[in-house]
Every structure is written in structure tokens, then in C-alpha cells.
């Protein structure tokens, strides 16, 4: 049985605070990218990283991730129905609240499954 969502937080390049509701056995990290209107360059920052290094259980057939920020005027939720557990990443692009460029959230769900991290470590020791 999947575990309930947890909450975490992070700040973006401009100091805005975000609250992240995430499935602890699926989400690895969320990165935020902005296109800077002055230079047309892109700035990317890790907004949130799951403190777990691998899943304790299987995440279940449905995974929900919610990102909210009052300062940045962002509030969205992504729900993934993935019975085959094949989805590793979701990208959400939004217009910035100030009208200056786009904001892209890269939601990385490639957290290793239960026991997978130990298998990788054991393989590395054997090949050295």
C-alpha cells in the first residue's frame, strides 16, 4: 500500500518560497528553470530534493505532486496514473506571474525502488 504525501519546501532564484506536497516513494527532486528576459539565458535551480535516498515501498498506481507559492502566484497539482511504473519525469511550464518569461518545473520521479540502492552498491563493490 502506498504511503500518504509528505510536505517539503524550497525557494526559487528570486527568493520566493514554495511548498511541495509529494509522494515520498516516487519523487526524487523538483528543479525550477526561468528564462531571464534581460539576457534570454536560462537559470535552473533545485527547488526541492526528497531527503530519502530510495523508496521504502512501491509508490502505488497514482502519484500526486502539488507545488504552491503565494509569492510566485503558483498553485498546480499533477496526478499520474502509472500502473506500469514507467514515468520518470514530468515537465510543467507556466508563464511567470510578473509576465517576464516562463517558469519550468521538472518533476523527477526516478527515486530508486526498495532494495535497488543496495543492489547498485553491491555491484559497484564487485567491479572494483
Amino acid at each position: 500500500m502506498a504511503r500518504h504525501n509528505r510536505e517539503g519546501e524550497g525557494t526559487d532564484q528570486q527568493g520566493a518560497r514554495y511548498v511541495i506536497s509529494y509522494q515520498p516513494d516516487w519523487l526524487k527532486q523538483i528543479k525550477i528553470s526561468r528564462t531571464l528576459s534581460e539576457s534570454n539565458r536560462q537559470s535552473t535551480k533545485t527547488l526541492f530534493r526528497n531527503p530519502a535516498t530510495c523508496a521504502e515501498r512501491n509508490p502505488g498506481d497514482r502519484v500526486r505532486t502539488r507545488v504552491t507559492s503565494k509569492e510566485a502566484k503558483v498553485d498546480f497539482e499533477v496526478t499520474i496514473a502509472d500502473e506500469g511504473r514507467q514515468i520518470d519525469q514530468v515537465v510543467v511550464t507556466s508563464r511567470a506571474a510578473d509576465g517576464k518569461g516562463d517558469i519550468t518545473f521538472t518533476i523527477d520521479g526516478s527515486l530508486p525502488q526498495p532494495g535497488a540502492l543496495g543492489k547498485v552498491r553491491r555491484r559497484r563493490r564487485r567491479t572494483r
Side-chain angles (χ1 to χ4, degrees):
M1 177 191 284
R3 297 187 298 158
H4 295 287
N5 273 21
R6 305 287 188 266
E7 279 201 356
E9 59 182 56
T11 55
D12 69 7
Q13 298 92 326
Q14 299 175 342
R17 182 176 168 268
Y18 288 77
V19 176
I20 314 297
S21 174
Y22 66 100
Q23 212 295 337
D25 298 311
W26 183 79
L27 183 76
K28 182 176 181 180
Q29 66 184 5
I30 298 177
K31 290 190 174 192
I32 184 169
S33 300
R34 293 177 174 274
T35 303
L36 306 174
S37 58
E38 312 86 46
S39 61
N40 211 21
R41 292 183 334 144
Q42 190 175 39
S43 170
T44 301
K45 179 181 180 187
T46 299
L47 182 64
F48 174 77
R49 187 177 318 245
N50 188 344
T53 55
C54 70
E56 286 183 24
R57 300 184 196 161
N58 287 327
D61 295 343
R62 286 193 189 278
V63 175
R64 287 182 302 116
T65 304
R66 184 173 183 188
V67 178
T68 59
S69 173
K70 289 181 183 175
E71 294 99 339
K73 298 179 181 161
V74 170
D75 188 352
F76 70 88
E77 181 174 279
V78 175
T79 303
I80 302 165
D82 182 26
E83 293 180 27
R85 294 186 182 93
Q86 296 178 317
I87 304 297
D88 284 334
Q89 193 175 78
V90 176
V91 177
V92 176
T93 301
S94 168
R95 287 182 299 281
D98 60 9
K100 297 179 181 176
D102 292 334
I103 303 173
T104 300
F105 298 88
T106 304
I107 304 167
D108 185 0
S110 59
L111 193 66
Q113 291 301 306
L117 195 57
K119 289 177 190 173
V120 169
R121 287 183 180 152
R122 285 191 296 274
R123 260 190 246 130
R124 283 185 191 158
R125 279 189 222 140
R126 280 187 240 147
T127 59
R128 288 184 186 175

